[in-house]
Amino acid sequence: MNGHAETVVRPFVLDVPQAELDDLARRLAATRWPDEPAGAGWSQGVPMTYLKELAAYWRTVYDWREHEAHLNRFPQFTTTIDNANVHFLHIRSARTDALPLLITHGWPGSVVEFLDVIGPLTDPRAHGGDPADAFHLVIPSIPGYGLSGPTREGGWDVHRVARAWAELMRRLGYRRYGAQGGDWGHAITRELAVLDGAHVVGVHLNTLLTPPPGDPAEAAALTVDDRARLDRLAAAEPEMSGYAKIQGTRPQTLAYALTDSPVGQLAWIVEKFKEWTDCADLPEEAVSRDRLLTNVMLYWLTATAGSSARHYWEAFHPSRPPRTEPLATPTAVAVFAADPARPVRRLAGRDNNVVHWSEFDRGGHFAAMEEPDLFADDVRTFFRRFR
């Protein structure tokens, strides 16, 4: 590792000052609640009865120190790349021949998404797997998100993050590695494979967008299930895309509310966990309440509601034309049943070199959180061919 001040990799230990936790408790206790229409349920957003109970649990039961200690079980570091702070977990397997794997979260996720797959991926033997499937894991926080902290300047689009990831892996000494991502992480991972194709051996995605075909012949070839997937997303998009339109157009205005009100930040994130996970009524049917709150805490404690939202603004106001060439890197796609944006296999091949495709009858958008065993096993299976 280069010892220059701008390239040094620094050990990081999470230690939130007690004053910040006390301030959070005071704000939660002093929440000014709105009214709500009778009988609306989740149709207009998060119901107040549910959110009041969840906020009370956050204030009186949830123990941040317990989860802070859990995060600190894993080696963490920070480094400066392209004038931004980058936080990351770096867990090396005991196997010297382990394959390096970079895993990228999305919004409103964080490194917390992957805590339950670290063990199975770095030490398969201890989790009923083949020791030869071990990985060295690099799990960064996207600049502007969580423990990477707010970005100090604009321009942090998918391309710039991918460029930073290539530099991070170079800085860590990895010249041959795999990459995995979902949500924004899938776009960053695909871009990384283009920018650092000489070093990325394959990519595993649990999100992939497959827009409807413009060619009538291609559309006619779709199966009933293919059309149902496209129709499901088209029907859900108007109701579920409001958050993206706000973050993509007026992230600064939104940032004042979410940075000042913990209940506001909680509602903004928990709504997505309700809509995108494999749950019937409440998000904690898919993701434990404590794990969900730990994810929210990383946004609240770091005041990154605004800088993470700016990721959408960059996408809505691109500074470069979109890539049109197909991705040549060998690609795996894992499809989880409750993800609203399930891709269509026959369309995925238009822009991707898909060599591995998995369909799961459970799990949703936050796959590693919801179904860590399915996620880890699919990642192991795909990357086995590159060892």
Side-chain angles (χ1 to χ4, degrees):
M1 298 175 188
N2 192 320
H4 187 274
E6 285 301 301
T7 61
V8 68
V9 174
R10 305 170 291 269
F12 175 84
V13 176
L14 186 55
D15 185 14
V16 175
Q18 185 59 40
E20 293 190 26
L21 302 180
D22 295 341
D23 175 68
L24 170 61
R26 284 193 296 270
R27 288 170 181 266
L28 288 170
T31 300
R32 185 178 182 220
W33 296 95
D35 70 331
E36 70 173 342
W42 287 83
S43 66
Q44 296 185 33
V46 184
M48 187 162 59
T49 300
Y50 170 73
L51 198 63
K52 277 188 171 181
E53 196 275 326
L54 184 58
Y57 178 91
W58 190 7
R59 182 172 64 87
T60 63
V61 179
Y62 174 81
D63 182 0
W64 164 254
R65 295 302 184 196
E66 174 188 340
H67 300 284
E68 179 182 70
H70 183 65
L71 277 162
N72 283 331
R73 286 174 47 201
F74 305 106
Q76 298 175 70
F77 304 88
T78 62
T79 191
T80 302
I81 302 177
D82 194 8
N83 201 37
N85 182 64
V86 174
H87 161 270
F88 61 99
L89 278 63
H90 185 198
I91 308 98
R92 290 187 59 85
S93 172
R95 295 266 308 199
T96 57
D97 61 347
L99 179 67
L101 179 66
L102 173 68
I103 304 182
T104 308
H105 66 85
W107 185 92
S110 68
V111 297
V112 169
E113 287 185 58
F114 308 109
L115 296 182
D116 290 337
V117 300
I118 291 174
L121 292 178
T122 58
D123 187 7
R125 183 197 296 275
H127 295 83
D130 185 342
D133 287 333
F135 295 91
H136 301 309
L137 294 181
V138 179
I139 309 175
S141 301
I142 298 172
Y145 287 70
L147 296 172
S148 283
T151 42
R152 295 190 290 268
E153 57 190 22
W156 278 98
D157 58 5
V158 164
H159 175 85
R160 190 171 178 183
V161 177
R163 197 173 64 199
W165 280 189
E167 168 59 19
L168 176 61
M169 296 304 274
R170 186 202 66 76
R171 201 170 288 184
L172 294 176
Y174 294 132
R175 296 294 179 265
R176 183 178 184 273
Y177 63 95
Q180 199 287 327
D183 195 88
W184 278 118
H186 107 277
I188 293 165
T189 297
R190 292 184 75 252
E191 184 72 3
L192 175 63
V194 174
L195 296 180
D196 202 25
H199 302 120
V200 177
V201 297
V203 300
H204 182 283
L205 311 173
N206 61 283
T207 302
L208 184 65
L209 302 179
T210 53
D215 179 4
E218 195 176 17
L222 296 175
T223 67
V224 171
D225 181 65
D226 293 340
R227 287 192 290 271
R229 290 190 180 195
L230 295 174
D231 291 346
R232 178 188 180 194
L233 180 59
E237 196 273 341
E239 282 289 320
M240 295 174 63
S241 63
Y243 79 96
K245 291 173 181 174
I246 293 173
Q247 296 193 155
T249 58
R250 299 295 184 269
Q252 189 61 31
T253 302
L254 174 68
Y256 299 116
L258 301 191
T259 305
D260 188 61
S261 168
V263 164
Q265 179 69 91
L266 176 64
W268 195 247
I269 290 178
V270 79
E271 178 188 274
K272 298 303 116 189
F273 275 80
K274 167 62 167 67
E275 293 181 338
W276 296 350
T277 59
D278 190 4
C279 68
D281 298 307
L282 299 175
E284 50 260 51
E285 295 167 3
V287 175
S288 75
R289 179 171 281 196
D290 276 21
R291 188 58 57 82
L292 175 58
L293 287 171
T294 301
N295 184 69
V296 172
M297 285 289 278
L298 292 191
Y299 283 82
W300 173 257
L301 293 170
T302 58
T304 50
S307 54
S308 61
R310 286 199 293 272
H311 206 136
Y312 287 79
W313 192 93
E314 300 292 346
F316 277 46
H317 303 81
S319 59
R320 57 176 55 84
R323 292 191 184 276
T324 56
E325 67 273 21
L327 178 63
T329 305
T331 299
V333 180
V335 184
F336 290 81
D339 195 326
R342 288 187 298 161
V344 173
R345 183 168 190 171
R346 68 183 61 236
L347 300 179
R350 294 177 301 184
D351 302 311
N352 304 274
N353 178 18
V354 179
V355 299
H356 176 90
W357 186 279
S358 301
E359 298 266 353
F360 298 105
D361 62 2
R362 62 188 187 275
H365 192 70
F366 304 94
M369 254 179 154
E370 297 179 64
E371 297 293 342
D373 292 342
L374 293 180
F375 178 92
D377 185 62
D378 200 62
V379 168
R380 289 178 194 156
T381 300
F382 170 64
F383 283 106
R384 200 169 287 150
R385 70 191 67 201
F386 303 108
R387 295 185 182 271

